[in-house]
Amino acid sequence: MAGSALRRLMAEYKQLTLNPPEGIIAGPINEENFFEWEALITGPEGTCFEGGVFPAKLVFPPDYPLSPPKMQFTCEMFHPNIYSDGRVCISILHAPGDDPMGYESSAERWSPVQSVEKILLSVISMLAEPNDESGANVDAAKMWRENREEFDRIAEKIVRRTLGIPT
Amino acid sequence: MRTLSISVLSLALTSIVVANAYYQKKQFYPSVVYITKSNPSMAVIYIQAFICVWISGKIIKKIFFGQLRTTEFEHLMERSWYAITETCLAFTVFRDDFNPKFVALFTLLLFLKSFHWLAEDRVDYMERSPVISWLFHSRVLSLLLLLGSLDLHFIQHAYLSTVSKGASVQLVFGFEYAILITVVINIAIKYGLHSVDLNSETPWDNKAVFLLYTELVMGFIKVILYVAFVAIMVRIYTLPLFAFRPMYYTIRNFKKAFSDVILSRRAIHNMNTLYPDATPEELQAADNVCIICREEMTTASKKLPCNHIFHTSCLRSWFQRQQTCPTCRLNILRNPATVPPQRQRPPNPPNPFGNPFFAGQNPFQMFNQPNANGAEQAAAPGEQGRPAGLAGAERQAAPATTHQPQAAHAPPPFLFPPFPFLPFLPPPPMPPHNLAALSPEELLRMEGSERENVEARIQCLRNIQMLLDAAVVMMQQYSTTAILSAQMPAPHAAPNPFPATGPPASADSPKVAKVAPTTSGSAQAAPTTGHSGANSGAQASSTIDKPGTSKEEEGRGEESTTEAGIEEEIRRRRLQKFVQAQTHAGGQD
Ligand SMILES: [Zn+2]
Ligand SMILES: [Zn+2]
């Protein structure tokens, strides 16, 4: 009997292929390993990331969906909630146990009700509205607060780079 | 390519060194002495030895693992760094024993450790892999056998050496290999569990339980080993700083495994004893899909106190992680009570108000308590809704449905014929949209942290507040009417306690005159509450209960004034009656 994690991932993959949400493409890197996905996320319109296509990698734990997957952008990113190595830091990717005072905010945290689609949609809204209190990338958070023009300029450069347009 | 060139280079250097020594000394033994005496030659030999270890590592890896996956490799690198720093710390404790043999033993330890980690990752991977080949099984089994026997051998060696020569660095090795053998046992147990699971046709529910207990027992053994090791080290040498990080993690893991076992046992016990199995109708109503595994619920499924339904097996494995409802995060251990009467209820009829608070029942049923604290009852949905967090349709619907049975429990002290009052009730303000069935777009709009999402959430809360206010209004009207009809002997006033048009019908009752303005005032409360809802919306989404309670107090105040009026009236009437009776009696006397 294949694991329940595998069956659920297959179900989600099927769902995503049948009804792809706008701006998101996601699927296993190869069909032999359903626990590593790659995703392409388009930058939300009307933001400094507009037009960009950002590749990312999702790694699922063996007990998915009981534990959340990990997500990492595989392209260069500059954003308050993305570490410099591309790891994404948003509440939906953390289990409520991760911080002791999480009861209040646990509504946005991981539970089996969440899905790949919801994660990617959250990431898109994170691109649109960074949470500058989370310190994944302190430089980016500071620039986002204090020097928006410079932030936009860097974001545009990254967008161009993801599209292969010379900067 | 680079590694190849480095190994070729080092091989060349080594042969030059050896050739040079042999050329100078012509004989085996003197040339060995020559090499060990010369520092540059020894450096080359060390590098060569290191590269030999590296290459043999690669070969063993190839034999037992084939190609490493990226995550396995990253994991290995991460752990290696910690292990190397800890080894360097260990060197500081044993600087007196420092010699090439010592370094070689530590290198060997690291070398074997890394294969333990890889084996652990590989066995964990069994759960994710769709197909497990015979090659995989034979590789894992032979590797575990090899690692286990090596660990045992080194433990024995350390033991004998400590017994015969007294405490030395062998203590550390003995301890490290003891830890490693627990790792091997742990991996072997996991491997066994996974293999059984893979070969079974149906999902094996108890696997997670076994894994949890394995974790607990192994954690316990490791904690004991670490404590004993630190105690011995402190007595003989000094504080073993290098053991602190792994010890901390081991103790933390053990603590977590322990509380997991306790809490999950309680939650699963609750599930098995308290929560009812879902009926086919309930399954139908819940789309028949278990939100945990996204599969159809044809087999056993349970209903939580919050009315959410899941597979029993899915719930069991989730409760081993967290003891909350996956959908609404209701804490199962804090709210273990369930509502058995719900099961006997017929499925809800179509909802006439489009309003979750009145879903499937006569609105009057909820408000048939004629006492003044009925206002609290009406405010209760708000109170209950608060801890659940209000960001999603299911979450909003949940408190409403849990509330219903409570209202139904309360035995109606006396029932009134609803017909005289019905035409005069102002309808509750219509919610702007149906809260019970939010569309995916509406739900989506409420998720996230952008301004528009927050606004959507606030809007939703406002709608809920409007419903609450409407409920309060209705309740007030109803209780007033109830009191009136119960107490008022004058039959002509009963059919028309709320003169919709014109002044109070009967001039003889100042009480009715007093009541009418209050009720019409509260009938007008709907626009006012919409207004206060707007205010509270501005006060951010978290404070839904505040306007509710203030409303409730207001309501109580209104009611007490009405009640005071009624009481006064009753007293007046009683006095009248009394006086009449007395005069009557006096007349008879
Ligand atoms: Zn299920
Ligand atoms: Zn629930």
Side-chain angles (χ1 to χ4, degrees), chain B residues 35 82 282 286:
Chain B
I35 290 173
Y82 281 119
E282 285 166 346

PDB file of all heavy atoms in Angstrom, chain B residues 35 82 282 286:
ATOM      1  N   ILE B  35      60.654   8.500   6.389  1.00  0.00           N
ATOM      2  CA  ILE B  35      59.401   9.228   6.076  1.00  0.00           C
ATOM      3  C   ILE B  35      58.773   9.760   7.356  1.00  0.00           C
ATOM      4  O   ILE B  35      58.356  10.920   7.427  1.00  0.00           O
ATOM      5  CB  ILE B  35      58.424   8.300   5.330  1.00  0.00           C
ATOM      6  CG1 ILE B  35      58.943   8.026   3.911  1.00  0.00           C
ATOM      7  CG2 ILE B  35      57.032   8.937   5.236  1.00  0.00           C
ATOM      8  CD1 ILE B  35      58.150   7.011   3.156  1.00  0.00           C
ATOM      9  N   TYR B  82      28.425  20.096  12.032  1.00  0.00           N
ATOM     10  CA  TYR B  82      28.261  20.017  13.486  1.00  0.00           C
ATOM     11  C   TYR B  82      29.189  18.965  14.070  1.00  0.00           C
ATOM     12  O   TYR B  82      29.872  19.188  15.069  1.00  0.00           O
ATOM     13  CB  TYR B  82      26.810  19.671  13.827  1.00  0.00           C
ATOM     14  CG  TYR B  82      25.896  20.841  13.730  1.00  0.00           C
ATOM     15  CD1 TYR B  82      24.822  20.847  12.842  1.00  0.00           C
ATOM     16  CD2 TYR B  82      26.085  21.966  14.534  1.00  0.00           C
ATOM     17  CE1 TYR B  82      23.973  21.926  12.755  1.00  0.00           C
ATOM     18  CE2 TYR B  82      25.238  23.046  14.453  1.00  0.00           C
ATOM     19  CZ  TYR B  82      24.180  23.023  13.563  1.00  0.00           C
ATOM     20  OH  TYR B  82      23.346  24.090  13.476  1.00  0.00           O
ATOM     21  N   GLU B 282     -24.822  12.829   7.244  1.00  0.00           N
ATOM     22  CA  GLU B 282     -23.801  13.832   7.565  1.00  0.00           C
ATOM     23  C   GLU B 282     -22.654  13.764   6.567  1.00  0.00           C
ATOM     24  O   GLU B 282     -22.113  14.787   6.161  1.00  0.00           O
ATOM     25  CB  GLU B 282     -23.281  13.612   8.979  1.00  0.00           C
ATOM     26  CG  GLU B 282     -24.261  14.069  10.034  1.00  0.00           C
ATOM     27  CD  GLU B 282     -23.907  13.541  11.410  1.00  0.00           C
ATOM     28  OE1 GLU B 282     -23.075  12.631  11.509  1.00  0.00           O
ATOM     29  OE2 GLU B 282     -24.471  14.051  12.373  1.00  0.00           O
ATOM     30  N   ALA B 286     -21.291  16.708   4.046  1.00  0.00           N
ATOM     31  CA  ALA B 286     -19.914  17.207   4.104  1.00  0.00           C
ATOM     32  C   ALA B 286     -19.135  16.857   2.845  1.00  0.00           C
ATOM     33  O   ALA B 286     -17.927  16.717   2.876  1.00  0.00           O
ATOM     34  CB  ALA B 286     -19.212  16.626   5.330  1.00  0.00           C
TER      35      ALA B 286
END
